[in-house]
Every structure is written in structure tokens, then in C-alpha cells.
Amino acid sequence: MSSEHLTHIKIGDLGEATLIVGDPARVDLISADWHHRRKLEDSREFVLVVGEFEGHPVSICSTGMGVGSTEICVIELLENGAQMIIRCGGCGAWNAAIQPGDIIVNQAMVRTKGLLGEYVPDEYPAVADPLLVNRIYQGALAAGLRAHLGIGLTTETYFMGQCRQPHIAGATLKADDSRMAYWQERGVINAEMESAVLFLLGAIYQVPVANCLVVHLSRATGTWAATTDYNAIHKASAETVLQAVLS
């Protein structure tokens, strides 16, 4: 392999579906009940586990936070034969009707100007596979999850790009709150830091991709999901995703 990570994978190890998550700890949370579970990689932010879910070979890998590490992870999963990739992560909701603990399935993402500019120009859209989107969304509804479908925003920064003000003593730089309102007025319902990378790479390399995100924070009301509830919903939503895409 030309890449420096995920070096212990063989073609075929990844199975029928691969989930990606930001937090390495979430790999164990989601895969704990899989049969024939094996850890293939644990390097920096990348933890990769394979196993069987309801008789299907599947895999899950952590990406870490943000664009750079997600690009590395997704490219190397594709190099090693990933058949479909779904991001099961978290996000902040920008729509007041969406509550912490709800599920968001994005069919497309607004993306930071220049995001993955080495691959595509700014005009190139970041869109998920429509068939996967529909299966995941309908599966979430059938499972009784409070699910929402819409366009999200992927940004390269946690603070300024998501209109968050850093609390640094003596700093005069201020976050531009009008940017959130700008996107809200244009129907953007959530913000996060990874999905557009997955959507763009999936489109370029012709592999079905999608996301299924748990809302951890409502930016409209300032309310957070409780940690225990958030983890339980992550596990339940990931299992719903696998059932939907493998059926």
C-alpha cells in the first residue's frame, strides 16, 4: 500500500457495509455485540473493527475529527475494497424543530469554500447516494426514531466555521452570528465536520455513501443530549442503518 495507515487490512476484510464514526471510543460501543469481532487496526485516531451483524460481514472505523483525517480514512477504506460507507456520527441542529437525540439523514451538504479543492472545484456538489439515503431514512422512521431529512453544512472548523465564539482572554476576533442565520434561511438544518468529505469521495470513486447523524446539541435552544442517552441512540441508530442497508 502507498498509504501509511490501515496497513493490516486485506481486500475482502471490510464486508458488505462499513460504518465510519468520529470518536474512536464509539467503535467499541457500536460493534460490541457483533459476532466474530476482530480489531484490525488501532493507529492514532484510526480504530478499525470487523465482524458479523445479523449474518452479514461488516466493518466500522473511526476517522477522528475534521476533514484531514476523514480524507485519509475514507481513501484507505476505498483502497481496501469498501463496498459502501455510511457515517454514523453526531451533529448540531440549526433548526429549532429538531431536538437533541433526534436523527438527521443528509441528502447533501453545503461545504466550506475550497474543501477538498485538490479533488474537485468549488462548484462540485457534495451529495449522498439517493438510494442509501432513502433506505436509511425510511429505516429510521420504521424503527421509531425521530428522523429528519435535509441539507446540512460541513465546515473545516469547530469554532468560527460553526459560528461559535472562542472564550480566549483578550481576544478581539468575534464569530459572525449572521452566518448561521444565512444558512438557516436557506434551509440548512445541521452542521458538522466530516460528511461532505465522504460524499465527495464517494461520488468521485463511485461507491455508495450516506450519513445518519445523532443530534447532540440544538443550537437554536442551547440544549444538549444527555451522555447516556446520546450513546444509546448512537448504538440504536447504527444498528438501524445496518439493518436498512443490508436488507
Side-chain angles (χ1 to χ4, degrees), residues 135-158:
R135 291 167 73 177
I136 293 168
Y137 178 63
Q138 295 299 332
L141 293 178
L145 299 173
R146 296 191 306 269
H148 308 269
L149 188 67
I151 296 174
L153 166 72
T154 295
T155 174
E156 295 180 76
T157 71
Y158 182 82

Side-chain angles (χ1 to χ4, degrees), residues 11 94 96 147 157 176 214 219:
I11 298 295
W94 283 10
T157 71
D176 183 359
V214 180
R219 293 291 298 277

